[in-house]
């Protein structure tokens, strides 16, 4: 794995850019306080103002994870892409992802893995608790399949005690509503 930390803006295409009027993904302008980020990898997502690309991890051109966040904000959004996923999104979480998550300190899955659809793709949701830097965190993950063994997951992590706050719910809903795959 190659890990690139703290390189937002390393090239012109990695900086978040304000969405043009009416230029937000499919349903109009973004609300105040959000910026549309267009990743050089080809996806886009609306992020809270002040958020930046914190970390990028790549695996031999077949997978990557980009993590977003901001100083003094304990929340993060991780976007993972892989060209090695199976045909069942529930099985991907259960058989491929969860065994690795079990290595996290304090890992505990919350509820069942739920099949769903997302933007017309087969998808599955999974939530879990873990400990990160002395804080109990809760992560909501949505994985979806593009076809051809390709898929994305979006992972929203927040302190567990703050999970149900309205601001967190709105930020997660916005990320899910505005995320667009492309160019992969």
């Amino acid at each position: 794995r190659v890990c690139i930390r703290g390189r937002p803006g390393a090239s012109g295409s990695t900086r978040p850019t304000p969405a043009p009027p009416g230029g937000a993904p499919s349903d109009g302008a973004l609300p105040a306080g959000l910026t549309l980020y267009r990743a050089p990898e080809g996806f886009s997502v609306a992020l809270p103002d002040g958020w930046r690309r914190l970390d990028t991890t790549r695996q031999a051109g077949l997978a990557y994870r980009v993590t977003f966040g901001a100083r003094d904000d304990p929340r993060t959004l991780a976007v993972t892409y892989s060209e090695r996923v199976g045909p069942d999104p529930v099985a991907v979480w259960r058989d491929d992802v969860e065994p690795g998550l079990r290595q996290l300190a304090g890992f505990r899955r919350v509820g069942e893995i739920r099949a769903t659809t997302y933007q017309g793709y087969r998808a599955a949701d999974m939530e879990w608790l873990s400990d990160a830097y002395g804080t109990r965190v809760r992560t909501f993950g949505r994985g979806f399949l593009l076809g051809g063994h390709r898929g994305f997951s979006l992972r929203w992590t927040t302190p567990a005690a703050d999970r149900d706050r309205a601001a967190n719910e709105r930020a997660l809903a916005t990320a899910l509503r505005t995320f667009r795959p492309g160019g992969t």
Side-chain angles (χ1 to χ4, degrees), residues 17-146:
T17 56
S26 76
D27 53 340
L30 291 173
L34 295 172
T35 300
L36 186 63
Y37 180 89
R38 297 181 195 280
E41 292 84 1
F43 67 85
S44 63
V45 63
L47 300 170
D49 285 348
W51 278 40
R52 63 185 178 90
R53 190 176 182 128
L54 298 176
D55 184 62
T56 302
T57 305
R58 300 185 188 282
Q59 289 184 349
L62 297 174
Y64 63 79
R65 174 174 295 141
V66 179
T67 304
F68 299 97
R71 173 175 281 151
D72 300 326
D73 188 337
R75 304 171 303 168
T76 60
L77 175 68
V79 176
T80 302
Y81 171 79
S82 178
E83 294 183 1
R84 297 179 281 185
V85 295
D88 178 356
V90 171
V92 170
W93 279 118
R94 182 189 62 230
D95 302 337
D96 300 336
V97 177
E98 188 172 11
L101 294 174
R102 290 187 184 283
Q103 307 305 308
L104 297 174
F107 172 81
R108 181 175 63 83
R109 182 165 25 105
V110 176
E112 297 300 315
I113 300 170
R114 299 168 303 280
T116 189
T117 58
Y118 176 66
Q119 298 182 9
Y121 298 107
R122 293 181 62 209
D125 294 346
M126 180 174 146
E127 291 189 64
W128 62 92
L129 295 163
S130 61
D131 299 323
Y133 307 105
T135 301
R136 190 75 168 153
V137 295
R138 185 164 176 160
T139 300
F140 168 86
R142 171 160 293 161
F144 62 100
L145 307 177
L146 300 172

